[in-house]
């Protein structure tokens, strides 16, 4: 329960680094604002995207079947995975069938969620992440801290040191262009030797049976063009009904994510290249359960742009790893409690409910309202720490009884006025760690009112 | 028009001057304002912690206290938002529905009901406006920097009616201060850091007084300012609107 607070406190100890992290992400938020404000119909686009997603989610079964039928018609092999384990088994099975040992993978939060890399590596299969940020954290053996910018928590000096150790770049080199070039040369070899390419999916079009993959680095294209076998892994919520809907989302996605008008590459895959094979793995892994929760189903509208992370004042100051969840930040805090309520019961409380996440969300997910609703469920399920729950029961009693309220208010003011400072500013008083308590006035407003206005 | 004043619990106990300023301001605008005895709290502290069931008796007490009035005016966007948004878990009697429409933040009442266009107020100072989140994004008292809307900000509109006020330009127009109710206690480090960062933005802009529509944000910021020994003051917007200095 206190997990996020503890990790956040550790992150924030290095205040200069916290400021750097906050500023880096605020810069992305500012670019997003500029891009969003440059489109007069931005708010209508968000509304349209939200409605398309709502509609699709309420007919998800039909669209998924239509998508499958069309993809099969295109010669693509479609697989269904109920959970992460099934997904990993299926992918491994396809690789075995094609005798593929060396894999290049472009960024996919789904395969991260399923733990695919670890699974395949345990089977003796080499997986190279080809997105630069993903490659950095793969070399560093860390999970991503952000869904769009997985290595945003690392400074260029740290990347330089890592590349020096792993890719033999010059010691002390920090020039981003030099380091990126080294990564390109290193990855080129992997692309040329790969037996198979795995990608995530941004959108899947029911009408055409095709999948759409958006990247900035072209790494997904390098992989799928070169390797004879291509596998696209997608969650069931990635479906859009028609190709004509896609433009609404591509206009929103890159602007929300990084402030770019579009991703550099928006690639459409409909069928295998000549002599190649194309597979699509469609994964549930808890999504239909979330779809069945009326208060939380619209979290499945998420297009993984990361805007809610960039704007979240808590995420910016605590880092993605403090959430201990594949998808961190505000959206992660409403998705992951649905997977394991007990483990993630602290996340809905890692928020001030400021609502900025809901207002940047390109598909209008009411994130902060869902955080509020998860809190209610967590308390109902008895997952609040006992002291917290008891203090709320007591507060509920005091605040519904005017007499008790008056007495409690009076004694609270007396305590803060007259008790010696060391008795008030104890380690238990977390408010007082960095803040003074309000100075208690002699009389409350109610007392003042009775003296000054009660005749009227 | 029967108007009730709702003074939130923490303002009643710790910031009576905000209640007094709100009352005097409304009276100076010709309103007859009643302050129903026995009022306590909107119930938000329990509900935001996940314990909305423990808040139900407080919700019921609020409804009982205020349902006979045409409007309930409160100097808190956050409490007004809570009543309007979250009183959906109790039976939606006509009284509850009425209060969920007619519990207004002071700024809404001034601009939307009284249609105030000028104020007889003077406050010569460089003022930093903190846009409290529940007022801004909950009650939509302004467009918010996230959305692409051309809408006025209620608090800016009101402050610009005060003679002598110079509104400071902030680098981050409406970032959260980090109070967040029990968040301030459960995540004290992040909470305080957020407050420090907001204060630094105001300080860089040369602000003398930070104001807001919610005293809770200001209580948090004031706590940090006093610990820092900063000369920057905090004042609820009602105090500035009621100022004759």
């Amino acid at each position: 329960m206190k997990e996020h607070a503890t990790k956040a406190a550790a992150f924030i100890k290095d205040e200069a680094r916290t400021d750097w992290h906050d500023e880096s992400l605020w810069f992305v938020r500012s670019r997003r604002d500029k891009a969003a404000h440059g489109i007069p119909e931005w708010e209508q686009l968000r509304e349209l995207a939200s409605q398309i997603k709502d509609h699709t989610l309420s007919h998800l079964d039909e669209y998924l079947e239509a998508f499958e039928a069309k993809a099969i018609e295109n010669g693509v092999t479609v697989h269904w995975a109920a959970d992460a384990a099934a997904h990993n088994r299926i992918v491994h099975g396809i690789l075995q069938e094609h005798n593929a040992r060396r894999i290049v993978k472009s960024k996919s939060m789904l395969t991260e969620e399923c733990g695919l890399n670890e699974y395949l590596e345990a089977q003796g299969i080499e997986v190279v992440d080809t997105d630069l940020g993903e490659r950095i954290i793969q070399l560093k053996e860390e999970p991503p801290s952000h869904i769009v910018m997985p290595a945003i928590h690392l400074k260029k000096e740290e990347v330089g040191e890592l590349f020096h150790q792993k890719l033999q770049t010059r010691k002390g080199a920090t020039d981003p262009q030099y380091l990126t070039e080294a990564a390109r040369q290193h990855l080129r070899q992997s692309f040329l030797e790969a037996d198979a390419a795995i990608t995530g999916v941004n959108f899947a079009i029911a009408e055409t049976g095709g999948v759409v993959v958006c990247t900035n680095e072209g790494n997904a294209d390098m992989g799928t063009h070169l390797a004879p076998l291509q596998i696209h892994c997608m969650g069931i919520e990635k479906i859009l009904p028609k190709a004509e809907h896609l433009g609404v989302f591509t206009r929103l996605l890159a602007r929300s994510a990084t402030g770019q008008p579009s991703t550099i590459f928006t690639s459409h895959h409909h069928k295998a290249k000549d002599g190649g094979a194309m597979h699509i793995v469609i994964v549930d892994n808890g999504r239909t359960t979330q779809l069945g929760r009326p208060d939380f189903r619209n979290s499945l509208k998420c297009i993984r742009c990361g805007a809610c992370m960039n704007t979240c004042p808590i995420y910016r100051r605590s880092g993605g790893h403090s959430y201990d969840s594949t998808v961190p930040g505000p959206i992660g805090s409403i998705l992951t409690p649905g997977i394991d309520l007990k483990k993630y019961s602290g996340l809905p409380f890692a928020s001030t409910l400021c609502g900025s996440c809901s207002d940047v969300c390109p598909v209008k997910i009411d994130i902060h309202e869902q955080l509020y609703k998860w809190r209610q469920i967590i308390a109902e399920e008895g997952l609040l720490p006992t002291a917290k729950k008891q203090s709320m029961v007591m507060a509920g009693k005091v605040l519904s009884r005017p007499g008790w309220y008056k007495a409690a208010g009076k004694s609270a003011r007396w305590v803060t006025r007259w008790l010696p400072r060391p008795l008030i500013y104890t380690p238990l008083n977390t408010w007082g760690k960095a803040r003074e308590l309000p100075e208690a006035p002699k009389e409350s407003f109610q007392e003042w009112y009775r003296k000054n206005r009660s005749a009227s | 028009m029967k108007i009730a004043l709702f003074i939130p619990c923490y303002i009643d106990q710790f910031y009576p001057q905000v209640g007094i300023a709100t009352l005097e301001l409304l009276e100076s605008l010709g309103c007859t304002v009643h302050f129903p005895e026995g009022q306590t709290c909107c119930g938000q502290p329990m509900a935001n912690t996940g314990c909305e069931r423990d808040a139900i008796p407080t919700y019921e007490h609020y409804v009982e206290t205020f349902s006979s009035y045409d409007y309930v005016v409160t100097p808190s966007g956050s409490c007004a938002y809570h009543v309007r948004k979250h009183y959906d878990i109790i039976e939606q009697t006509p009284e509850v529905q009425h209060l969920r429409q007619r519990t207004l933040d002071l700024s809404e009442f001034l601009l939307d009901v009284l249609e105030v266009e000028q104020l007889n107020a003077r406050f010569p100072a460089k003022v930093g406006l903190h846009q409290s989140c529940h007022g801004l994004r909950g009650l939509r008292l302004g467009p918010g920097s996230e959305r692409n809307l051309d809408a006025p900000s209620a608090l800016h509109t009101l402050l610009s009616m005060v003679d002598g006020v110079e509104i400071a330009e902030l680098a981050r127009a409406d970032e959260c201060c980090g109070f967040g109710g029990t968040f301030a206690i459960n995540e004290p480090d992040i909470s305080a850091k957020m407050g420090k960062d907001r204060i630094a933005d105001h300080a860089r802009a040369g602000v003398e007084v930070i104001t807001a529509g919610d005293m809770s944000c200001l209580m948090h910021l004031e706590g940090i300012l006093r610990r820092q020994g900063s000369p920057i003051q905090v004042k609820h917007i009602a105090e500035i609107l009621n100022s004759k200095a």
Side-chain angles (χ1 to χ4, degrees), chain A residues 2 4-6 8-9 12 15 18-19 22-23 26 29 32-33 36-43 46 311-314 316-318 346 349-357 359-360 368-369 372-373 375-377 379-380 384 388-389 392-393 395-402 405-406 408-410 412-413 416 421 425 430-441 443-450 453 456, chain B residues 5 7-21 23-24 27 33-41 43 45-55 57-59 61 81-82 85-86 88 133-134 136-138 140 143-149 171-176 178-194 196-198 204 216 219-224 226-227:
Chain A
K2 289 282 266 175
H4 181 269
T6 311
I12 221 166
E15 193 164 358
T18 305
D19 289 339
D22 167 62
E23 286 292 345
W26 183 261
R29 154 81 208 268
R32 171 258 169 223
D33 287 354
H37 293 191
I39 293 190
E41 70 274 27
W42 182 256
E43 298 304 324
R46 289 176 70 221
T311 200
C312 179
I314 287 118
R316 277 188 268 112
R317 292 173 181 82
S318 63
F349 293 90
S351 164
T352 56
L353 304 178
C354 80
S356 185
C357 46
D359 277 356
V360 292
H368 71 293
E369 287 165 23
Y372 178 90
K373 284 174 179 158
R375 292 181 183 188
Q376 310 309 325
I377 291 172
E380 283 287 299
L384 282 186
K388 197 168 176 178
K389 174 66 188 167
M392 288 303 131
V393 170
K397 287 188 174 146
V398 171
L399 293 172
S400 57
R401 293 170 171 82
Y405 163 76
K406 252 176 239 176
K410 220 180 173 83
R413 275 182 287 127
T416 45
R421 207 176 155 86
Y425 290 89
T430 57
W431 174 277
K433 203 171 155 190
R435 287 164 291 216
E436 294 294 301
L437 287 159
E439 276 174 328
E443 55 185 12
S444 68
F445 176 78
Q446 300 200 5
E447 288 161 354
W448 175 91
Y449 188 86
R450 233 165 294 142
R453 289 289 197 286
S456 63
Chain B
L5 180 63
I7 296 301
C9 48
Y10 68 97
I11 293 184
D12 175 39
Q13 296 298 333
F14 291 103
Y15 299 99
Q17 73 275 19
V18 175
I20 296 167
L23 179 65
E24 287 180 352
E27 286 173 346
V33 182
H34 297 264
F35 180 76
E37 274 282 320
Q39 58 176 275
T40 56
C41 169
M46 292 77 84
N48 274 10
T49 313
C51 303
E52 63 181 358
R53 279 175 191 259
D54 295 306
T58 306
Y59 293 179
H61 178 68
Y81 173 67
H82 191 74
K85 176 81 190 167
H86 292 302
D88 57 346
C133 299
H134 288 173
L136 182 71
R137 299 190 195 86
R140 299 294 186 200
S145 60
E146 298 87 358
R147 300 192 304 159
N148 187 1
L149 291 177
R172 299 186 186 183
D174 49 21
E175 188 177 37
C176 177
F179 171 66
T182 47
F183 177 84
I185 293 163
N186 296 325
E187 295 238 23
D189 301 280
I190 296 269
S191 171
K193 174 66 178 149
M194 286 166 69
K196 273 173 68 181
D197 290 353
R198 284 287 75 236
R204 273 192 298 270
S216 49
M219 172 170 75
H220 163 71
L221 294 175
E222 184 191 37
I224 298 168
R226 279 179 43 220
R227 180 64 60 88

Side-chain angles (χ1 to χ4, degrees), chain B residues 222-235:
Chain B
E222 184 191 37
I224 298 168
L225 286 165
R226 279 179 43 220
R227 180 64 60 88
Q228 290 175 338
S230 167
I232 298 175
Q233 303 283 305
V234 301
K235 282 200 186 297

Side-chain angles (χ1 to χ4, degrees), chain A residues 65-299:
Chain A
E65 285 183 350
F67 172 77
E68 180 192 33
K70 201 73 200 169
I72 292 172
E73 206 180 298
N74 295 341
V76 175
T77 313
V78 178
H79 311 259
W80 297 87
D83 54 27
H87 164 264
N88 294 346
R89 267 199 317 273
I90 290 166
V91 172
H92 184 222
I94 302 167
L95 295 174
Q96 275 182 318
E97 201 183 306
H98 290 262
N99 203 21
R101 315 290 307 168
R102 284 169 300 192
I103 317 300
V104 286
K105 186 158 79 62
S106 68
K107 199 151 74 59
S108 150
M109 292 315 296
L110 176 68
T111 59
E112 193 72 43
E113 169 189 326
C114 294
L116 180 68
N117 283 19
E118 297 75 12
Y119 180 86
L120 292 180
E121 281 158 9
Q123 317 287 331
I125 292 174
E126 178 197 275
V127 186
V128 174
D129 276 313
T130 57
D131 171 89
L132 178 58
E134 287 272 298
R135 187 63 185 145
I136 292 169
I137 56 161
Q138 190 181 33
L139 290 172
K140 206 157 191 309
E141 295 175 34
E142 275 186 0
S145 72
H146 189 287
I147 61 174
V148 173
M149 302 170 284
I152 191 71
H153 59 291
L154 296 173
K155 294 190 171 191
K156 60 184 185 211
E157 292 78 12
E158 290 161 311
V159 175
E161 181 55 30
L162 177 74
F163 279 15
H164 170 65
Q165 286 170 23
K166 305 278 183 177
L167 307 181
Q168 290 75 49
T169 52
R170 282 195 307 274
K171 180 142 185 79
T174 60
D175 175 35
Q177 199 178 342
Y178 168 72
L179 295 173
T180 307
E181 185 56 32
R184 279 171 70 100
Q185 295 304 330
H186 154 75
L187 285 169
R188 185 124 323 190
Q189 205 53 36
S190 302
F191 282 126
L192 289 169
E193 292 169 355
D195 303 315
I198 298 176
T199 82
V201 170
N202 292 93
F203 307 101
I205 316 291
E207 178 189 33
T208 65
V211 296
V212 181
V213 181
C214 304
T215 71
N216 272 335
E217 298 168 22
N219 54 312
D221 305 85
M222 290 277 276
T224 51
H225 292 170
L226 286 166
L229 170 65
Q230 64 191 93
I231 304 171
H232 306 279
C233 303
M234 57 176 268
I236 56 170
E237 81 283 17
K238 295 292 172 186
I239 292 277
L240 293 180
K242 291 184 173 182
E244 70 184 50
H245 299 136
L246 186 61
V248 174
F249 292 90
T250 51
R251 292 186 77 195
L252 287 165
L253 176 62
R255 286 184 172 89
S256 298
T258 57
Q260 295 166 263
S262 73
T263 43
I264 307 296
F265 297 85
T266 301
S267 304
H268 305 252
H269 301 275
H270 290 101
K271 55 183 177 185
K273 60 184 109 33
D274 288 342
M278 174 167 162
H279 292 253
I280 296 173
V281 187
I282 304 174
V283 185
D284 183 333
N285 203 31
R287 286 164 177 75
T288 48
T289 312
Q290 188 83 335
L291 192 64
R293 297 179 175 120
D295 285 341
F296 304 107
R297 65 180 313 204
N298 91 22
S299 60

